[in-house]
Amino acid sequence: MKHTLGASLRHDSALSHATGQARFLDDVAEPAGMLHAALVPAPVAHGRIAALHTAAAAAWPGVMAVIRPEDIPGENDIAPIGSGEAMLAEGVVEFAAQPLAIVVARTRDEALAAAAAVTADITPLPPILSIAQALLDPHWLVGPHTMAQGDLAAAMAAAPHRLSGRMELGGQEHFYLEGQIALAIPGEDGDMLVHSSTQHPTEGQHVIAHVLGEPYSRVQVQCRRMGGAFGGKESNASWIAAAAAVAARIAGRPDKLRLPRKLDMAVTGKRHPFLYQWEVGFDGDGRLLALDARLTADGGHSLDMSGGVVMRALTHSLNAYHVAALRVVCGAVKTNHVSNTAFRGFGGPQGAMLMDDVLGRVAHALGAEMEAVRALNFAGGQNPAETPYGQALEGDLVRRVHAEARADAGWDARRAEIAAFNATHPTLRRGLGCFVSAFGISFGIPHLNQAGALVHVYTDGSIRLNHGGTEMGQGLFIKIAQVVAGVFSVPIDSIGITATSTEQVPNTSATAASTGSDLNGWAAHNAAETIRDRMAGVAAAHFGCPVGAICFEDGEVLGVSGNQRLTFAELAKMAWKARVSLSATGFYATPELEWDMAAVRGKPFFYFSYGAAVAEVVIDTLTGEHRVLRAHLVQDCGRSLNPAIDRGQIEGAFVQGMGWLTSEELWWDAQGRLRTIGPSTYKIPGSRDVPPIFEARLLESAPNRADSIFRSKAVGEPPLLLAAAVWNALRDAAGRPHLDCPVTPERLLMA
Ligand code: MTE
Ligand code: HPA
Ligand code: MOS
């Protein structure tokens, strides 16, 4: 259909989400005889396990099995990359809540009660509970890696001004509404079907196969949708699914593992907290001449995906700016926290905040306007556009989003009004802040940038669409359906959307790095095109015209003359009768990516997505509380596949980012136990925290490169970075260039 691509079609499940008819995993009909599994969490953050006492749990009513590490049929290893990450702690406990055993029982209540009856003799070891503590004698999980250019020592020595800084940035709990959950159903001959709330069915398949000691071909992982994921169901979903599968294998019956929220929050990884230490050299105008920075991430107790997070933080540490001489060192240290993981932005937001910390303090030191200092240092224009790792940014788009967001907000008028307000109000202070971001799109590991799809056309003209991407609320399924409807030029309701399954499309990547529609869109496009070309051949033979003249248009297939027309359904049936296959797979691999991790050089991204935001806040100097009064966002989505979905992503990401930087605080007690494990102690934004004036729009007339999917751009993660405008507005209101994040009322009051 002419109006399918680029149309603001609603999410395919919008109505069923709103009416409660959309099925999440816990709504799926439970198989007969299904059992329930529960995890036994470790009571301490660090210690040597002398003995695990499971007899009382095994004797608990309804208990079918208590699974200890030595009972795991295959390997006790759930590492998403490499190996050596235990599913059940063996020998040592590395973080509080680390699973020690799995209990399987008839009911969930029995399983949870029996799990609480497991005890362990653990000899305590001193835990490492902060980045600063870890840095005293660091155990590096990743790196540290160095990105450098120019003669740093000379440039620093020659700089007219120098300044150094230190900033702390907290982690973030994903707080997906649907918690981690898996349903494992054992079949014949070692088969295992696992319904999993996962962004990464293939990794789930691999991890399940490893713990079961089965080939991948025996394991099928399926996911219709997640109730939110945000990176939290990339690797963590895999071990949840694996635990359910081990329980099903040992009990010989289907079982479900659904974590209580408190345990979900304690036992699954979070966004990496970061510590920034830097020195900058600059001139009297605020032009940065030399930057020496060290970024350290809290990786938690094990590697997980910290390698990728560090790489993305490093490649985003200059964000949209240019500094001629620099050294940025970034690594992840081991601590006795839960292993930190992917979270919307995947280290990119943490990396990109470095420059705003620096620019804000430089502007303050010079008494200059931050936006003038920002503009002076943008990549492109007078400055080189190339990033320190060797890939060019589009300086004109950087400047466009900055100018447009400021124009939308009426920056100068806001400034004047805020000054007048602050001059008269005794205790409230307003502030204005901006943020500009350039976010690289592609998985940091080049080979992950591939996708597959499977498309069937049936003889009534209806189409069944399957691809490797997963739906977590972001609208991927409707976007890919739009792509396929566009290829066949049929109405959107001809497309039957299906659950993601390792059985239909194998060897997939996670739906992550915002690449879902870029990768799966092309794969589905290619599958659909294969079938369309075959159908065109059938139509050409029927009409007696050249294949090149066949045109698919608005549900019809046209030849050269006016009376040469068939409905899409008629042609489908005709193709079947001609014994032409109406089923095809499609594949896509992003071209031109290259990355040398050791040298920190290459072209790791297919393109960049640009965005800018302006936020206005008011703070109460007596309580430290604040409100975001307005926000104006401009996000580059290329030529959007679906502007309504994209706007939802922009708004949602911004508010989620606001929560990260202002109210969401992870708090561990002195023993290293996370105590913010529920909504009463961990404050995510609510509807009333959304700015009353909130304008999010897509950058106009900015098509992506010609070989992108219909010239669209990815949108899932980039707008999260724009929330840093709120942090800048808070710094402005407080008159303090240094504010650690999250800027909780306590922190703001102290400042
Ligand atoms: N939007 C919703 N509603 N729920 C989610 O869990 N995850 C985000 C983003 N938007 C998420 C979301 C993250 S972390 C990523 S990487 C992308 O969606 C993944 O989907 P995409 O590649 O299709 O954009
Ligand atoms: N983003 C998200 N997940 C990933 C990435 C990435 O860049 N690389 C590997 N896994
Ligand atoms: Mo998103 S953090 O790449 O799942």
Side-chain angles (χ1 to χ4, degrees):
M1 289 290 176
K2 287 191 199 83
H3 304 297
T4 299
L5 281 166
S8 283
L9 303 185
R10 66 175 169 228
H11 192 290
D12 45 286
S13 300
L15 285 180
S16 60
H17 284 158
T19 56
Q21 286 170 303
R23 283 193 207 164
F24 295 89
L25 214 168
D26 210 29
D27 304 319
V28 170
E30 295 175 348
M34 190 192 82
L35 305 172
H36 292 264
L39 301 175
V40 177
V44 299
H46 198 197
R48 214 167 285 288
I49 304 170
L52 188 63
H53 305 292
T54 53
W60 204 269
V63 168
M64 312 295 285
V66 181
I67 300 161
R68 303 163 61 102
E70 60 270 25
D71 302 325
I72 294 171
E75 292 168 55
N76 182 17
D77 197 340
I78 52 160
I81 294 168
S83 61
E85 300 184 40
M87 181 168 79
L88 299 179
E90 255 178 303
V92 227
V93 168
E94 299 264 31
F95 74 98
Q98 184 171 17
L100 301 175
I102 305 166
V103 176
V104 201
R106 275 182 326 218
T107 69
R108 187 160 176 269
D109 285 348
E110 286 168 341
L112 289 168
V118 174
T119 58
D121 301 336
I122 300 174
T123 318
L125 294 166
I128 294 168
L129 298 174
S130 71
I131 299 172
Q133 189 193 350
L135 281 175
L136 298 176
D137 181 17
H139 173 136
W140 294 100
L141 293 171
V142 182
H145 298 289
T146 301
M147 181 174 76
Q149 73 182 4
D151 185 343
L152 176 65
M156 194 68 88
H161 305 277
R162 276 194 293 277
L163 201 62
S164 58
R166 182 183 189 281
M167 185 181 64
E168 289 176 24
L169 179 61
Q172 187 177 20
E173 154 66 30
H174 302 84
F175 223 107
Y176 24 64
L177 292 186
E178 177 205 38
Q180 303 275 355
I181 180 168
L183 164 62
I185 306 171
E188 289 179 22
D189 303 325
D191 271 6
M192 187 67 72
L193 164 63
V194 182
H195 294 273
S196 168
S197 181
T198 179
Q199 291 173 256
H200 201 343
T202 290
E203 185 188 277
Q205 175 194 32
H206 294 179
V207 173
I208 291 163
H210 295 160
V211 298
L212 294 182
E214 297 282 358
Y216 296 167
S217 59
R218 283 280 167 222
V219 179
Q220 187 202 340
V221 175
Q222 190 169 313
C223 178
R224 171 59 184 83
R225 63 167 64 77
M226 287 159 272
F230 310 109
K233 294 174 182 170
E234 196 175 336
S235 61
N236 280 273
S238 301
W239 70 260
I240 299 283
V246 165
R249 170 56 48 82
I250 288 175
R253 277 160 64 172
D255 83 297
K256 188 187 280 186
L257 174 56
R258 173 165 67 84
L259 301 190
R261 178 64 65 170
K262 284 180 179 175
L263 183 58
D264 193 314
M265 291 181 75
V267 79
T268 62
K270 327 239 159 276
R271 183 189 291 285
H272 290 64
F274 268 63
L275 173 68
Y276 305 71
Q277 296 156 292
W278 52 261
E279 186 183 12
V280 66
F282 54 101
D283 67 15
D285 297 330
R287 185 175 287 102
L288 307 190
L289 304 171
L291 176 66
D292 191 3
R294 178 175 282 278
L295 274 55
T296 310
D298 177 347
H301 77 98
S302 71
L303 181 61
D304 187 79
M305 290 180 288
S306 296
V309 169
V310 162
M311 174 273 181
R312 193 170 274 278
L314 193 53
T315 52
H316 286 69
S317 62
L318 267 277
N319 191 9
Y321 306 94
H322 168 79
V323 181
L326 64 89
R327 175 175 61 197
V328 184
V329 181
C330 184
V333 284
K334 175 174 172 158
T335 63
N336 293 105
H337 287 153
V338 63
S339 191
N340 287 318
T341 193
F343 195 134
R344 206 167 193 173
F346 203 74
Q350 293 97 314
M353 284 185 62
L354 169 69
M355 286 302 285
D356 270 60
D357 191 36
V358 172
L359 292 169
R361 294 207 221 180
V362 165
H364 191 262
L366 292 173
E369 214 235 338
M370 177 152 172
E371 295 318 299
V373 174
R374 181 192 301 288
L376 204 56
N377 290 286
F378 277 141
Q382 311 287 350
N383 297 321
E386 198 170 275
T387 60
Y389 53 89
Q391 180 158 15
L393 293 167
E394 289 120 301
D396 51 328
L397 284 178
V398 170
R399 285 167 179 75
R400 255 189 82 189
V401 291
H402 185 225
E404 291 193 20
R406 281 164 42 103
D408 285 2
W411 181 275
D412 293 333
R414 297 311 314 147
R415 262 271 164 260
E417 211 181 300
I418 289 168
F421 178 90
N422 288 345
T424 55
H425 207 285
T427 55
L428 300 182
R429 293 194 63 81
R430 290 192 178 182
L432 198 61
C434 179
F435 194 80
V436 176
S437 97
F439 193 85
I441 301 298
S442 286
F443 283 98
I445 303 169
H447 70 255
L448 296 180
N449 296 285
Q450 56 171 303
L454 177 63
V455 174
H456 306 315
V457 173
Y458 295 98
T459 50
D460 63 352
S462 65
I463 297 163
R464 196 88 177 152
L465 167 62
N466 194 271
H467 54 80
T470 56
E471 178 64 44
M472 56 196 94
Q474 85 277 40
L476 175 67
F477 283 9
I478 186 68
K479 283 187 173 180
I480 309 295
Q482 285 174 272
V483 167
V484 171
V487 171
F488 289 118
S489 195
V490 296
I492 193 72
D493 50 17
S494 299
I495 312 292
I497 285 169
T498 60
T500 317
S501 162
T502 54
E503 208 167 48
Q504 303 220 43
V505 176
N507 311 323
T508 56
S509 290
T511 304
S514 304
T515 60
S517 42
D518 285 12
L519 300 178
N520 297 287
W522 264 128
H525 177 281
N526 293 344
E529 205 175 48
T530 299
I531 301 174
R532 191 190 63 188
D533 288 350
R534 290 185 203 142
M535 290 175 77
V538 174
H542 175 70
F543 294 141
C545 72
V547 175
I550 298 296
C551 182
F552 288 71
E553 203 177 288
D554 290 344
E556 290 194 317
V557 185
L558 312 177
V560 277
S561 71
N563 57 3
Q564 290 183 338
R565 54 172 65 216
L566 290 165
T567 65
F568 183 78
E570 285 166 345
L571 179 58
K573 186 161 240 164
M574 195 177 279
W576 170 73
K577 277 193 183 152
R579 291 184 284 176
V580 168
S581 167
L582 290 172
S583 173
T585 60
F587 186 76
Y588 175 70
T590 314
E592 294 168 23
L593 303 176
E594 39 178 286
W595 183 241
D596 181 343
M597 183 74 242
V600 191
R601 274 206 81 73
K603 296 194 168 48
F605 304 119
F606 191 38
Y607 59 85
F608 290 88
S609 174
Y610 303 88
V614 170
E616 181 178 335
V617 299
V618 59
I619 65 175
D620 183 334
T621 57
L622 299 181
T623 65
E625 290 165 297
H626 79 272
R627 314 277 319 161
V628 181
L629 299 175
R630 25 172 104 212
H632 299 270
L633 281 54
V634 177
Q635 181 67 45
D636 164 25
C637 297
R639 189 180 289 156
S640 171
L641 288 171
N642 185 323
I645 294 282
D646 285 359
R647 244 190 56 190
Q649 286 291 292
I650 297 166
E651 293 175 355
F654 181 82
V655 173
Q656 189 167 44
M658 271 174 44
W660 169 43
L661 296 175
T662 61
S663 67
E664 297 181 34
E665 186 170 36
L666 298 165
W667 194 85
W668 287 270
D669 65 19
Q671 285 79 49
R673 290 171 300 191
L674 184 64
R675 289 308 186 93
T676 45
I677 50 173
S680 60
T681 46
Y682 187 80
K683 179 68 184 84
I684 63 169
S687 52
R688 285 176 302 163
D689 297 311
V690 172
I693 298 173
F694 191 22
E695 288 179 5
R697 68 173 176 88
L698 281 56
L699 184 70
E700 283 166 23
S701 311
N704 198 2
R705 51 189 283 179
D707 55 353
S708 60
I709 187 74
F710 293 110
R711 291 185 176 265
S712 66
K713 279 191 178 180
V715 69
E717 297 167 286
L720 183 130
L721 283 74
L722 302 184
V726 172
W727 168 59
N728 280 332
L730 288 168
R731 294 200 286 170
D732 182 55
R736 290 276 187 279
H738 170 213
L739 278 184
D740 291 328
C741 291
V743 191
T744 56
E746 292 90 329
R747 278 227 174 83
L748 200 55
L749 193 60
M750 292 315 212

